[in-house]
Amino acid sequence: MLAINPNILSRFLNSISQFVIILSVFLICVAGVLIFFLENDYYQGISFKIMFIHVPAAWLSLMFFFIMGTSSIIGIVFKSPTAFTIARSLSPIGLLMSILVIITGSIWGNLTWGTYWVWDARLTSMLILAFIYLGHNLLLFSFEHFQKADFAASILAIIGLVNLPIVKFSVDWWTTLHQGSSVFKIGGPSLTTDYLITLLIGFFALFLLCFYWFASIFYIIIENRKIERAKLFND
Amino acid sequence: MRIIKLSNQIKKRFIFLIIIFFCFSFSIFLISYSLKDQIAYFVSPEDIRKMNNIDDRYLKVGGLVKEGSLKFDDNQWNFEITDESKYVIKVVYTKSLPSLIEENKGIIVEGRMGKDNLFIAEIVLAKHDENYMPQSAIDKLKEEGVWRGN
């Protein structure tokens, strides 16, 4: 990542994006059919099926923040424009995923718990993550020179990394209304195999869709900078 | 492949970031450690038993609905909450329960302790666990005789 020229990475991402979106649409169709034909949960009935959007979106919002944070560290330490641009293009996608988590979680919560929102540790830390994403997005557009914006937003992303273990382990450290982890837990996943496979297919489908968005945003940012530079040169 | 030499500048920036990160995470740790009773969403019946002055305090109690205790009479729900300690809290609730409230399933009640150790609930929430399985899988487990639950 240090030695990669952003222009070369941009061209590479643009060349594979067609393939990624086709695979993603295919996997979304497969996941949709699987979710439709899956048996309902014995306790929650059909409402648990919202999990197959909620959980992948939650994993992705955490994963993207982790990638954003680490590439911000690399960007600041090694002054790497590629790392900064990766963080910049992941930011809106992560914001979208965290909003998706909160909306699907609220619907699920109203169907099962009997409330849209409570201030327990998991829900609150997830809301904080969404607000850090929002702040990161806004910081990226609040400076005249994008280098300054990248630096400021990177500091926020690095500080925000502290929140990731809190979101992940909040259900273990404190008592919460939110249930514990089903997949990454001691003693193996507490789902039946057909649920787990559907969940993983749903995750890869959403991941590839997000990767397509990431590749597109990365490409657009690099192309825009080329145009800006050309304008500057012509003046 | 370019060989990366760690210059003094790079080392300085890296140490700067590490210091920011650790100061911040340490402060977050201190805050959450000192507020751990407030961050916890509910207490168990066992904790209620150990508490001294709970009169008129707004409490959130979580546990399981005791088997055979869920009844509806006089236009109100009566049930008992318990946990592993077998300590029981009697609860009354006058509104309609969430659909997932069943005996031997998780529940959280919010409200105040009234007289005669009767908990008057203002909000009742259902707490489901992280196990998901279809009815057919449960039937199979029951056939094998390894199903623990109701």
Side-chain angles (χ1 to χ4, degrees):
Chain A
M1 199 149 78
L2 306 167
I4 300 170
N5 186 322
N7 295 318
I8 295 168
L9 184 61
S10 160
R11 233 174 292 145
F12 170 71
L13 287 174
N14 192 41
S15 66
I16 61 167
S17 68
Q18 295 275 319
F19 173 71
V20 168
I21 187 68
I22 290 168
L23 192 61
S24 160
V25 169
F26 171 72
L27 281 181
I28 287 172
C29 294
V30 171
V33 171
L34 280 176
I35 292 167
F36 186 79
F37 285 108
L38 267 185
E39 245 182 290
N40 288 345
D41 181 56
Y42 75 103
Y43 180 42
Q44 299 180 35
I46 196 165
S47 63
F48 103 106
K49 284 189 178 177
I50 205 165
M51 176 184 83
F52 297 112
I53 308 168
H54 179 77
V55 175
W59 288 350
L60 285 173
S61 65
L62 292 181
M63 198 179 98
F64 289 155
F65 204 95
F66 182 75
I67 298 172
M68 240 170 65
T70 37
S71 53
S72 295
I73 293 172
I74 293 168
I76 287 183
V77 171
F78 296 100
K79 297 231 180 275
S80 151
T82 314
F84 279 134
T85 317
I86 287 172
R88 181 181 276 264
S89 10
L90 276 177
S91 186
I93 307 166
L95 178 65
L96 191 70
M97 286 300 114
S98 53
I99 290 172
L100 187 65
V101 174
I102 290 170
I103 290 174
T104 54
S106 289
I107 296 168
W108 192 9
N110 189 45
L111 291 169
T112 54
W113 304 333
T115 178
Y116 283 108
W117 188 264
V118 291
W119 294 101
D120 83 346
R122 171 57 78 79
L123 275 64
T124 310
S125 58
M126 194 64 218
L127 187 67
I128 291 170
L129 183 72
F131 275 117
I132 295 175
Y133 266 126
L134 183 64
H136 192 268
N137 270 283
L138 294 178
L139 263 183
L140 286 174
F141 295 103
S142 1
F143 291 87
E144 204 173 332
H145 301 287
F146 70 85
Q147 287 93 343
K148 275 185 183 170
D150 278 338
F151 182 80
S154 292
I155 298 289
L156 180 66
I158 292 162
I159 289 173
L161 278 178
V162 179
N163 194 29
L164 290 187
I166 297 178
V167 175
K168 171 72 184 124
F169 297 108
S170 53
V171 288
D172 305 321
W173 291 341
W174 302 289
T175 57
T176 53
L177 177 59
H178 194 283
Q179 68 277 17
S181 313
S182 294
V183 180
F184 299 110
K185 64 182 259 186
I186 303 158
S190 60
L191 302 96
T192 48
T193 319
D194 48 347
Y195 290 173
L196 190 62
I197 289 168
T198 312
L199 189 60
L200 291 179
I201 291 173
F203 170 73
F204 281 114
L206 198 59
F207 172 74
L208 289 176
L209 187 63
C210 288
F211 189 84
Y212 171 73
W213 287 333
F214 163 73
S216 314
I217 293 170
F218 195 96
Y219 183 73
I220 290 166
I221 288 172
I222 296 297
E223 291 302 305
N224 268 342
R225 279 184 195 159
K226 274 186 200 162
I227 294 167
E228 292 291 315
R229 219 171 296 140
K231 268 189 201 160
L232 217 63
F233 190 70
N234 287 339
D235 288 346
Chain B
M1 187 71 193
R2 197 172 67 188
I3 296 162
I4 304 150
K5 274 188 200 154
L6 292 177
S7 70
N8 274 339
Q9 275 289 312
I10 288 175
K11 271 183 201 159
K12 220 180 270 175
R13 286 196 293 261
F14 188 65
I15 291 164
F16 163 73
L17 283 185
I18 293 287
I19 290 170
I20 288 184
F21 184 76
F22 276 96
C23 289
F24 199 77
S25 37
F26 187 64
S27 60
I28 292 286
F29 170 76
L30 287 182
I31 290 170
S32 54
Y33 186 76
S34 58
L35 287 178
K36 66 176 190 293
D37 291 340
Q38 274 77 15
I39 296 174
Y41 192 70
F42 60 87
V43 294
S44 67
E46 175 70 4
D47 296 328
I48 293 286
R49 190 172 65 84
K50 285 177 191 159
M51 277 183 198
N52 293 321
N53 43 357
I54 52 169
D55 345 291
D56 221 40
R57 253 173 72 189
Y58 191 76
L59 295 165
K60 296 172 184 150
V61 188
L64 298 175
V65 182
K66 200 185 172 195
E67 203 169 352
S69 72
L70 189 63
K71 287 184 198 83
F72 184 77
D73 37 41
D74 294 342
N75 274 330
Q76 63 185 20
W77 285 99
N78 291 285
F79 51 89
E80 291 169 359
I81 299 182
T82 183
D83 60 356
E84 297 88 42
S85 72
K86 306 291 178 206
Y87 182 72
V88 168
I89 292 177
K90 284 181 184 163
V91 184
V92 289
Y93 185 57
T94 50
K95 289 171 234 163
S96 60
L97 288 175
S99 55
L100 283 191
I101 298 289
E102 283 172 25
E103 287 173 0
N104 269 331
K105 292 288 185 189
I107 190 172
I108 293 172
V109 292
E110 303 181 16
R112 289 183 168 83
M113 199 63 109
K115 55 180 188 292
D116 304 331
N117 275 342
L118 192 66
F119 192 91
I120 298 150
E122 292 168 23
I123 298 170
V124 170
L125 303 172
K127 177 170 165 53
H128 64 81
D129 61 11
E130 69 276 19
N131 301 309
Y132 309 101
M133 52 178 87
Q135 190 60 47
S136 59
I138 288 177
D139 294 340
K140 210 176 158 194
L141 286 177
K142 276 180 181 165
E143 266 172 39
E144 290 163 9
V146 289
W147 170 249
R148 283 167 297 163
N150 55 334

